[in-house]
Amino acid sequence: MDAHVSKSTVAGRAAAPPSKSYTHRAILASGYASGALVHDPLVSADTRATMRAVEAYGGSVEILDGGATLDVDGFEGAPEVPADVLDCANSGTTMRLVTATASLADGLTVLTGDASLRSRPQGPLLRAVEQLGGRAESTRGNDQAPLVVGGPITGGTAAIPGDVSSQFVTALLMAGAVTEAGIDVSLQTELKSSPYVDVTLEVLDEFGVRARQTSRGYSVGGHQSYEPSDGEYHVPGDFSSMSYLLAAGALAAEDELVVTNAVPGAQGDAAIVDVLDSMGADVDWNEADGHIRVRRSDLEGVEVGVADTPDLLPTIAVLGAAADGTTTITDCEHVRYKETDRVTAMAEALTAMGASVEEEQDTLTIHGGRSDLEGATLDGRGDHRIVMSLAVAGLVAEGTTTISGAEHVDVSFPDFFDVLYDVGADVRTEE
Protein backbone atom coordinates (compact mmCIF):
# COMPACT_ATOMS: atom_id res chain seq x y z
CA MET A 1 0.00 0.00 0.00
CA ASP A 2 1.17 3.52 -0.82
CA ALA A 3 0.44 6.61 1.24
CA HIS A 4 0.28 10.02 -0.43
CA VAL A 5 0.77 13.04 1.84
CA SER A 6 0.58 16.63 0.64
CA LYS A 7 1.51 19.85 2.39
CA SER A 8 -1.28 20.65 4.83
CA THR A 9 -2.18 21.78 8.32
CA VAL A 10 -3.57 19.86 11.28
CA ALA A 11 -5.77 20.82 14.22
CA GLY A 12 -8.19 19.30 16.72
CA ARG A 13 -7.80 16.32 18.99
CA ALA A 14 -6.11 12.95 18.50
CA ALA A 15 -5.75 10.00 20.85
CA ALA A 16 -2.44 8.21 21.07
CA PRO A 17 -2.72 4.45 20.62
CA PRO A 18 -2.04 2.12 23.56
CA SER A 19 1.58 1.31 24.27
CA LYS A 20 3.05 -1.51 22.24
CA SER A 21 5.80 -2.11 24.81
CA TYR A 22 3.38 -2.38 27.73
CA THR A 23 0.95 -4.53 25.71
CA HIS A 24 3.65 -7.09 24.81
CA ARG A 25 4.71 -7.37 28.44
CA ALA A 26 1.16 -7.51 29.79
CA ILE A 27 0.17 -10.30 27.40
CA LEU A 28 3.19 -12.41 28.27
CA ALA A 29 2.89 -11.65 32.00
CA SER A 30 -0.73 -12.80 31.81
CA GLY A 31 0.55 -15.95 30.10
CA TYR A 32 2.98 -16.59 32.95
CA ALA A 33 0.03 -16.11 35.32
CA SER A 34 -3.06 -18.27 35.53
CA GLY A 35 -4.62 -15.54 33.42
CA ALA A 36 -5.75 -11.92 33.40
CA LEU A 37 -7.86 -9.33 31.64
CA VAL A 38 -5.72 -6.82 29.76
CA HIS A 39 -7.68 -3.61 29.18
CA ASP A 40 -6.97 -1.00 26.48
CA PRO A 41 -4.33 -3.10 24.70
CA LEU A 42 -2.74 -2.32 21.36
CA VAL A 43 -4.05 -4.99 19.00
CA SER A 44 -1.54 -4.88 16.14
CA ALA A 45 0.55 -7.17 13.99
CA ASP A 46 3.35 -7.24 16.56
CA THR A 47 1.21 -7.82 19.64
CA ARG A 48 -0.75 -10.53 17.84
CA ALA A 49 2.57 -12.35 17.49
CA THR A 50 2.92 -12.33 21.28
CA MET A 51 -0.67 -13.55 21.63
CA ARG A 52 0.13 -16.47 19.32
CA ALA A 53 3.21 -17.27 21.39
CA VAL A 54 1.16 -17.44 24.61
CA GLU A 55 -1.23 -19.81 22.87
CA ALA A 56 1.65 -21.92 21.53
CA TYR A 57 2.95 -22.33 25.08
CA GLY A 58 -0.41 -23.64 26.29
CA GLY A 59 -2.42 -20.52 27.08
CA SER A 60 -5.19 -18.81 25.15
CA VAL A 61 -6.06 -15.23 24.24
CA GLU A 62 -9.55 -13.99 23.37
CA ILE A 63 -10.08 -10.51 21.96
CA LEU A 64 -13.20 -8.94 23.50
CA ASP A 65 -15.25 -5.81 22.83
CA GLY A 66 -13.69 -5.05 19.48
CA GLY A 67 -10.20 -5.10 20.93
CA ALA A 68 -10.90 -3.11 24.09
CA THR A 69 -9.94 -6.08 26.29
CA LEU A 70 -7.90 -9.26 26.02
CA ASP A 71 -8.98 -12.26 28.08
CA VAL A 72 -5.78 -14.25 28.60
CA ASP A 73 -5.82 -17.77 30.02
CA GLY A 74 -2.25 -18.40 31.11
CA PHE A 75 0.10 -21.38 31.25
CA GLU A 76 0.94 -20.63 34.91
CA GLY A 77 4.70 -20.40 34.54
CA ALA A 78 4.99 -23.85 32.96
CA PRO A 79 5.07 -23.43 29.18
CA GLU A 80 4.42 -26.42 26.96
CA VAL A 81 6.68 -27.24 24.06
CA PRO A 82 4.90 -25.71 21.03
CA ALA A 83 3.41 -28.20 18.60
CA ASP A 84 4.79 -26.28 15.63
CA VAL A 85 7.43 -23.71 14.74
CA LEU A 86 6.74 -20.45 16.56
CA ASP A 87 6.49 -17.67 13.94
CA CYS A 88 7.14 -14.24 15.47
CA ALA A 89 6.51 -12.50 12.13
CA ASN A 90 8.18 -9.04 12.25
CA SER A 91 8.14 -8.63 16.03
CA GLY A 92 11.60 -8.47 17.56
CA THR A 93 10.09 -7.89 21.00
CA THR A 94 8.07 -11.09 20.70
CA MET A 95 11.02 -13.20 19.59
CA ARG A 96 13.31 -12.03 22.36
CA LEU A 97 10.77 -12.22 25.17
CA VAL A 98 9.45 -15.65 24.23
CA THR A 99 12.89 -17.09 23.52
CA ALA A 100 13.45 -16.91 27.27
CA THR A 101 10.03 -18.51 27.77
CA ALA A 102 11.15 -21.39 25.55
CA SER A 103 14.10 -22.01 27.86
CA LEU A 104 11.64 -22.95 30.62
CA ALA A 105 10.01 -25.73 28.59
CA ASP A 106 11.12 -29.36 28.87
CA GLY A 107 11.93 -29.83 25.20
CA LEU A 108 12.94 -27.90 22.09
CA THR A 109 11.19 -24.86 20.61
CA VAL A 110 11.94 -23.54 17.13
CA LEU A 111 11.42 -19.79 16.65
CA THR A 112 11.51 -17.87 13.39
CA GLY A 113 10.11 -14.74 11.75
CA ASP A 114 10.04 -12.80 8.51
CA ALA A 115 13.16 -11.85 6.53
CA SER A 116 13.70 -8.66 8.53
CA LEU A 117 13.43 -10.42 11.88
CA ARG A 118 15.74 -13.20 10.68
CA SER A 119 18.46 -10.56 10.20
CA ARG A 120 18.36 -9.17 13.74
CA PRO A 121 20.95 -10.09 16.40
CA GLN A 122 19.97 -12.64 19.06
CA GLY A 123 23.40 -13.89 20.13
CA PRO A 124 23.61 -12.35 23.63
CA LEU A 125 20.30 -13.92 24.63
CA LEU A 126 21.26 -17.30 23.20
CA ARG A 127 24.49 -17.29 25.19
CA ALA A 128 22.63 -16.19 28.32
CA VAL A 129 20.30 -19.19 28.02
CA GLU A 130 23.33 -21.46 27.65
CA GLN A 131 24.93 -19.93 30.75
CA LEU A 132 21.74 -20.78 32.62
CA GLY A 133 21.97 -24.44 31.55
CA GLY A 134 19.63 -24.40 28.56
CA ARG A 135 20.18 -25.11 24.90
CA ALA A 136 20.12 -22.16 22.53
CA GLU A 137 21.48 -21.95 19.01
CA SER A 138 20.97 -20.32 15.65
CA THR A 139 20.24 -22.85 12.92
CA ARG A 140 22.54 -20.93 10.55
CA GLY A 141 25.23 -20.38 13.16
CA ASN A 142 25.05 -16.59 12.74
CA ASP A 143 23.23 -15.63 15.98
CA GLN A 144 20.08 -14.90 13.98
CA ALA A 145 16.76 -16.72 13.66
CA PRO A 146 15.65 -19.42 13.10
CA LEU A 147 16.50 -20.35 16.68
CA VAL A 148 16.35 -23.65 18.53
CA VAL A 149 15.88 -23.24 22.29
CA GLY A 150 15.38 -25.85 24.99
CA GLY A 151 15.29 -26.29 28.73
CA PRO A 152 14.20 -26.37 31.39
CA ILE A 153 16.54 -23.88 33.00
CA THR A 154 16.39 -23.51 36.79
CA GLY A 155 17.93 -20.05 37.13
CA GLY A 156 21.35 -18.70 37.95
CA THR A 157 23.56 -15.89 36.66
CA ALA A 158 23.86 -14.70 33.07
CA ALA A 159 26.36 -12.12 31.82
CA ILE A 160 25.30 -10.18 28.73
CA PRO A 161 26.30 -7.00 26.91
CA GLY A 162 23.96 -4.10 27.45
CA ASP A 163 24.58 -2.24 24.20
CA VAL A 164 22.69 -4.51 21.78
CA SER A 165 19.15 -4.65 23.15
CA SER A 166 17.47 -4.07 26.50
CA GLN A 167 14.92 -6.70 25.44
CA PHE A 168 17.39 -9.42 26.44
CA VAL A 169 17.23 -8.18 30.02
CA THR A 170 13.44 -8.00 29.93
CA ALA A 171 13.20 -11.56 28.59
CA LEU A 172 15.42 -12.98 31.34
CA LEU A 173 13.66 -11.10 34.14
CA MET A 174 10.21 -12.21 33.03
CA ALA A 175 11.23 -15.85 32.71
CA GLY A 176 13.44 -15.80 35.79
CA ALA A 177 10.59 -15.10 38.18
CA VAL A 178 9.17 -18.61 37.66
CA THR A 179 12.48 -20.50 37.84
CA GLU A 180 13.63 -22.25 41.00
CA ALA A 181 16.59 -20.00 41.74
CA GLY A 182 15.72 -16.77 39.96
CA ILE A 183 18.08 -15.01 37.56
CA ASP A 184 20.78 -12.43 38.13
CA VAL A 185 21.62 -10.48 34.98
CA SER A 186 25.16 -9.12 34.96
CA LEU A 187 25.71 -6.36 32.39
CA GLN A 188 29.09 -6.40 30.66
CA THR A 189 28.62 -2.97 29.06
CA GLU A 190 26.44 0.06 29.70
CA LEU A 191 22.77 -0.67 29.08
CA LYS A 192 21.18 1.03 26.07
CA SER A 193 17.45 1.78 26.10
CA SER A 194 17.30 1.34 29.87
CA PRO A 195 13.85 2.98 30.19
CA TYR A 196 12.40 -0.11 28.51
CA VAL A 197 13.66 -2.22 31.41
CA ASP A 198 12.02 0.32 33.73
CA VAL A 199 8.77 -0.43 31.87
CA THR A 200 9.37 -4.13 32.49
CA LEU A 201 9.93 -3.57 36.21
CA GLU A 202 6.73 -1.51 36.35
CA VAL A 203 4.69 -4.25 34.66
CA LEU A 204 6.24 -6.97 36.84
CA ASP A 205 5.32 -4.99 39.93
CA GLU A 206 1.72 -4.67 38.69
CA PHE A 207 1.68 -8.47 38.36
CA GLY A 208 3.07 -8.99 41.85
CA VAL A 209 6.58 -9.98 40.79
CA ARG A 210 9.60 -8.54 42.60
CA ALA A 211 12.62 -7.61 40.47
CA ARG A 212 15.24 -4.92 40.99
CA GLN A 213 18.23 -3.13 39.62
CA THR A 214 21.57 -4.06 41.21
CA SER A 215 25.07 -2.64 41.13
CA ARG A 216 25.94 -5.09 38.34
CA GLY A 217 22.67 -5.24 36.45
CA TYR A 218 19.28 -6.67 37.42
CA SER A 219 17.93 -9.47 39.57
CA VAL A 220 14.66 -11.33 39.94
CA GLY A 221 13.94 -13.89 42.62
CA GLY A 222 12.63 -17.34 41.78
CA HIS A 223 9.51 -19.24 42.87
CA GLN A 224 7.32 -16.22 42.21
CA SER A 225 3.77 -16.17 40.86
CA TYR A 226 2.32 -13.66 38.42
CA GLU A 227 -0.87 -12.36 40.06
CA PRO A 228 -2.19 -8.99 38.84
CA SER A 229 -4.35 -6.99 41.23
CA ASP A 230 -8.00 -8.01 40.77
CA GLY A 231 -6.89 -10.10 37.80
CA GLU A 232 -6.72 -7.00 35.56
CA TYR A 233 -4.18 -4.73 33.93
CA HIS A 234 -4.68 -1.42 32.06
CA VAL A 235 -2.30 -0.44 29.24
CA PRO A 236 -1.22 3.24 29.06
CA GLY A 237 -0.78 5.32 25.89
CA ASP A 238 2.28 4.92 23.68
CA PHE A 239 4.76 7.81 23.60
CA SER A 240 6.68 6.32 20.68
CA SER A 241 3.57 6.53 18.51
CA MET A 242 2.58 9.82 20.14
CA SER A 243 5.82 11.36 18.88
CA TYR A 244 4.51 11.47 15.30
CA LEU A 245 1.35 13.30 16.33
CA LEU A 246 3.31 15.77 18.47
CA ALA A 247 5.77 16.37 15.64
CA ALA A 248 2.86 16.92 13.25
CA GLY A 249 1.47 19.52 15.65
CA ALA A 250 4.80 21.30 16.07
CA LEU A 251 5.26 21.47 12.29
CA ALA A 252 1.73 21.93 10.96
CA ALA A 253 -0.82 22.93 13.64
CA GLU A 254 -1.54 26.59 12.93
CA ASP A 255 -4.16 26.51 15.66
CA GLU A 256 -3.79 23.74 18.23
CA LEU A 257 -3.45 19.97 18.21
CA VAL A 258 -4.35 18.20 21.44
CA VAL A 259 -2.93 14.70 21.91
CA THR A 260 -4.70 12.66 24.58
CA ASN A 261 -3.84 9.48 26.50
CA ALA A 262 -0.45 10.92 27.52
CA VAL A 263 -0.23 9.36 30.97
CA PRO A 264 3.12 9.77 32.82
CA GLY A 265 5.02 6.56 33.53
CA ALA A 266 8.29 4.77 32.86
CA GLN A 267 8.30 5.25 29.08
CA GLY A 268 11.57 6.78 27.96
CA ASP A 269 10.02 8.11 24.77
CA ALA A 270 8.09 10.67 26.82
CA ALA A 271 11.38 12.53 26.27
CA ILE A 272 9.89 13.72 22.96
CA VAL A 273 8.11 16.44 24.95
CA ASP A 274 11.45 17.70 26.28
CA VAL A 275 13.02 17.48 22.82
CA LEU A 276 10.24 19.61 21.34
CA ASP A 277 10.54 22.09 24.18
CA SER A 278 14.30 22.37 23.70
CA MET A 279 13.74 23.06 19.98
CA GLY A 280 11.42 25.94 20.86
CA ALA A 281 8.10 24.28 20.23
CA ASP A 282 4.91 25.69 21.77
CA VAL A 283 4.08 22.54 23.74
CA ASP A 284 2.36 22.03 27.08
CA TRP A 285 1.78 18.72 28.88
CA ASN A 286 -0.96 18.58 31.48
CA GLU A 287 0.13 15.37 33.17
CA ALA A 288 -2.93 15.30 35.42
CA ASP A 289 -5.40 14.96 32.56
CA GLY A 290 -3.00 13.27 30.14
CA HIS A 291 -3.32 15.95 27.45
CA ILE A 292 -0.47 17.50 25.46
CA ARG A 293 -1.19 20.69 23.52
CA VAL A 294 1.12 21.68 20.68
CA ARG A 295 1.13 24.42 18.02
CA ARG A 296 3.23 25.11 14.95
CA SER A 297 6.43 26.78 15.99
CA ASP A 298 9.70 28.02 14.51
CA LEU A 299 12.04 25.28 15.63
CA GLU A 300 15.78 25.47 16.27
CA GLY A 301 18.22 22.60 15.85
CA VAL A 302 19.52 20.78 18.91
CA GLU A 303 21.87 17.96 19.87
CA VAL A 304 20.02 14.90 21.17
CA GLY A 305 21.36 11.55 22.35
CA VAL A 306 19.13 8.53 21.70
CA ALA A 307 20.97 5.86 23.70
CA ASP A 308 17.83 5.33 25.78
CA THR A 309 15.24 6.39 23.20
CA PRO A 310 16.14 4.74 19.87
CA ASP A 311 12.59 4.77 18.53
CA LEU A 312 12.58 8.58 18.57
CA LEU A 313 15.37 8.92 16.00
CA PRO A 314 13.09 9.02 12.91
CA THR A 315 10.84 11.65 14.52
CA ILE A 316 13.73 13.84 15.67
CA ALA A 317 15.35 13.58 12.24
CA VAL A 318 12.20 14.96 10.59
CA LEU A 319 11.95 17.77 13.15
CA GLY A 320 15.59 18.61 12.46
CA ALA A 321 15.01 18.77 8.72
CA ALA A 322 12.24 21.34 9.25
CA ALA A 323 14.09 23.37 11.91
CA ASP A 324 16.54 26.22 11.57
CA GLY A 325 20.14 25.39 12.37
CA THR A 326 21.67 21.96 12.82
CA THR A 327 20.24 18.96 14.65
CA THR A 328 22.73 16.30 15.71
CA ILE A 329 21.46 12.90 16.86
CA THR A 330 24.12 10.98 18.77
CA ASP A 331 24.50 7.53 20.37
CA CYS A 332 22.50 5.95 17.57
CA GLU A 333 24.51 2.96 16.34
CA HIS A 334 22.07 0.52 18.00
CA VAL A 335 19.24 2.11 16.00
CA ARG A 336 20.72 0.38 12.97
CA TYR A 337 19.54 -3.01 14.31
CA LYS A 338 15.79 -2.45 14.26
CA GLU A 339 13.31 -3.53 11.57
CA THR A 340 15.71 -1.80 9.22
CA ASP A 341 18.82 0.34 9.59
CA ARG A 342 16.88 3.41 10.65
CA VAL A 343 19.90 5.71 10.60
CA THR A 344 20.61 5.06 6.93
CA ALA A 345 16.91 4.86 6.07
CA MET A 346 16.23 8.34 7.42
CA ALA A 347 19.42 9.79 5.95
CA GLU A 348 18.55 8.53 2.48
CA ALA A 349 14.86 9.46 2.61
CA LEU A 350 15.42 12.98 3.91
CA THR A 351 18.20 13.52 1.36
CA ALA A 352 15.75 12.49 -1.37
CA MET A 353 13.36 15.13 -0.03
CA GLY A 354 16.02 17.84 -0.28
CA ALA A 355 17.48 17.82 3.22
CA SER A 356 21.17 18.28 3.93
CA VAL A 357 22.17 15.21 5.96
CA GLU A 358 25.46 13.72 7.17
CA GLU A 359 25.57 10.13 8.37
CA GLU A 360 28.24 8.55 10.56
CA GLN A 361 28.18 5.20 12.34
CA ASP A 362 26.93 6.62 15.64
CA THR A 363 25.69 10.06 14.59
CA LEU A 364 23.10 11.56 12.25
CA THR A 365 23.40 15.28 11.50
CA ILE A 366 20.66 17.26 9.75
CA HIS A 367 21.32 20.81 8.57
CA GLY A 368 17.84 22.27 8.74
CA GLY A 369 18.91 25.74 7.66
CA ARG A 370 20.20 24.27 4.40
CA SER A 371 17.14 22.05 3.84
CA ASP A 372 14.13 22.82 1.65
CA LEU A 373 11.85 19.79 1.80
CA GLU A 374 10.09 18.71 -1.38
CA GLY A 375 7.76 15.81 -1.98
CA ALA A 376 9.36 12.61 -3.23
CA THR A 377 8.61 8.94 -3.76
CA LEU A 378 10.11 7.10 -0.82
CA ASP A 379 10.61 3.51 0.31
CA GLY A 380 9.13 2.90 3.76
CA ARG A 381 11.61 0.02 4.18
CA GLY A 382 8.91 -2.23 5.64
CA ASP A 383 9.33 -0.27 8.88
CA HIS A 384 6.38 1.30 10.65
CA ARG A 385 8.45 4.05 12.26
CA ILE A 386 10.09 5.08 8.98
CA VAL A 387 6.67 5.23 7.28
CA MET A 388 5.06 7.37 9.99
CA SER A 389 7.95 9.80 10.34
CA LEU A 390 8.13 10.36 6.58
CA ALA A 391 4.38 10.99 6.52
CA VAL A 392 4.95 13.79 9.04
CA ALA A 393 7.71 15.20 6.82
CA GLY A 394 5.21 15.18 3.96
CA LEU A 395 3.02 17.66 5.85
CA VAL A 396 5.62 20.41 5.37
CA ALA A 397 7.19 19.38 2.05
CA GLU A 398 6.24 21.15 -1.16
CA GLY A 399 4.12 18.93 -3.39
CA THR A 400 3.20 15.34 -2.59
CA THR A 401 5.21 12.73 -0.75
CA THR A 402 4.49 9.09 -1.63
CA ILE A 403 5.58 6.39 0.81
CA SER A 404 5.55 2.72 -0.15
CA GLY A 405 4.80 -0.04 2.34
CA ALA A 406 2.38 2.16 4.26
CA GLU A 407 0.53 -0.93 5.51
CA HIS A 408 3.37 -1.56 7.95
CA VAL A 409 1.92 1.02 10.35
CA ASP A 410 -0.23 -1.92 11.47
CA VAL A 411 2.75 -3.00 13.59
CA SER A 412 2.23 -0.27 16.18
CA PHE A 413 -0.37 2.31 15.07
CA PRO A 414 -2.93 0.62 12.81
CA ASP A 415 -5.15 3.72 12.52
CA PHE A 416 -2.32 6.19 11.92
CA PHE A 417 -3.42 7.45 8.53
CA ASP A 418 -7.06 7.68 9.62
CA VAL A 419 -6.03 9.73 12.66
CA LEU A 420 -3.86 11.99 10.52
CA TYR A 421 -6.74 12.51 8.09
CA ASP A 422 -9.19 13.25 10.90
CA VAL A 423 -7.05 16.13 12.18
CA GLY A 424 -6.95 17.71 8.73
CA ALA A 425 -3.94 16.24 6.92
CA ASP A 426 -4.15 15.89 3.14
CA VAL A 427 -3.46 12.17 3.09
CA ARG A 428 -4.78 9.21 1.14
CA THR A 429 -3.77 5.58 0.79
CA GLU A 430 -4.13 3.18 -2.11
CA GLU A 431 -3.31 -0.42 -2.76
Side-chain angles (χ1 to χ4, degrees), residues 279 298-302 319-327 366-370:
M279 297 182 81
D298 293 327
L299 304 180
E300 294 288 340
V302 291
L319 290 168
D324 291 326
T326 297
T327 293
I366 306 100
H367 301 286
R370 302 206 303 260

Side-chain angles (χ1 to χ4, degrees), residues 26-27 43 65 89 103 112 123 130 137-138 149 209 220 231 244 261 284 287 297 299 357 413 419:
I27 293 168
V43 178
D65 303 324
S103 72
T112 192
E130 290 178 334
E137 58 190 274
S138 161
V149 181
V209 170
V220 62
Y244 312 111
N261 206 19
D284 178 67
E287 296 185 9
S297 313
L299 304 180
V357 181
F413 198 161
V419 171

Side-chain angles (χ1 to χ4, degrees), residues 166 216 224 229 243 257 263 288 301 323 336 340 357:
S166 65
R216 291 187 173 184
Q224 298 194 66
S229 178
S243 73
L257 181 67
V263 179
R336 296 183 182 278
T340 188
V357 181

Side-chain angles (χ1 to χ4, degrees), residues 135-214:
R135 173 182 173 183
E137 58 190 274
S138 161
T139 61
R140 294 178 290 166
N142 61 357
D143 286 345
Q144 298 169 356
L147 309 178
V148 177
V149 181
I153 63 171
T154 58
T157 299
I160 63 171
D163 56 356
V164 180
S165 175
S166 65
Q167 292 170 350
F168 302 147
V169 177
T170 288
L172 294 170
L173 292 178
M174 295 192 74
V178 298
T179 62
E180 292 179 16
I183 292 178
D184 292 320
V185 180
S186 177
L187 293 173
Q188 299 168 314
T189 62
E190 183 180 357
L191 180 63
K192 300 281 189 179
S193 306
S194 61
Y196 287 98
V197 180
D198 294 336
V199 167
T200 302
L201 296 178
E202 185 178 306
V203 173
L204 289 175
D205 183 66
E206 291 281 346
F207 277 79
V209 170
R210 297 179 304 280
R212 62 188 177 90
Q213 187 172 7
T214 68

Side-chain angles (χ1 to χ4, degrees), residues 17-28 38 40-55 61 63 67 70 72 87-95 97-98 235 238 241 339 384-385 408-414:
S19 167
K20 183 160 75 82
S21 296
Y22 279 86
T23 300
H24 276 301
R25 289 158 175 77
I27 293 168
L28 186 56
V38 179
D40 307 314
L42 177 72
V43 178
S44 70
D46 269 21
T47 60
R48 286 181 185 275
T50 299
M51 295 180 209
R52 291 194 298 272
V54 167
E55 293 177 333
V61 183
I63 301 174
L70 302 178
V72 182
D87 184 359
C88 300
N90 186 244
S91 179
T93 303
T94 301
M95 172 160 282
L97 268 57
V98 307
V235 176
D238 191 303
S241 296
E339 283 84 339
H384 54 128
R385 302 209 183 280
H408 289 283
V409 299
D410 186 53
V411 165
S412 62
F413 198 161

Side-chain angles (χ1 to χ4, degrees), residues 290-308:
H291 292 175
I292 301 177
R293 292 169 170 78
V294 61
R295 294 181 178 84
R296 196 205 71 78
S297 313
D298 293 327
L299 304 180
E300 294 288 340
V302 291
E303 180 172 320
V304 183
V306 293
D308 289 334

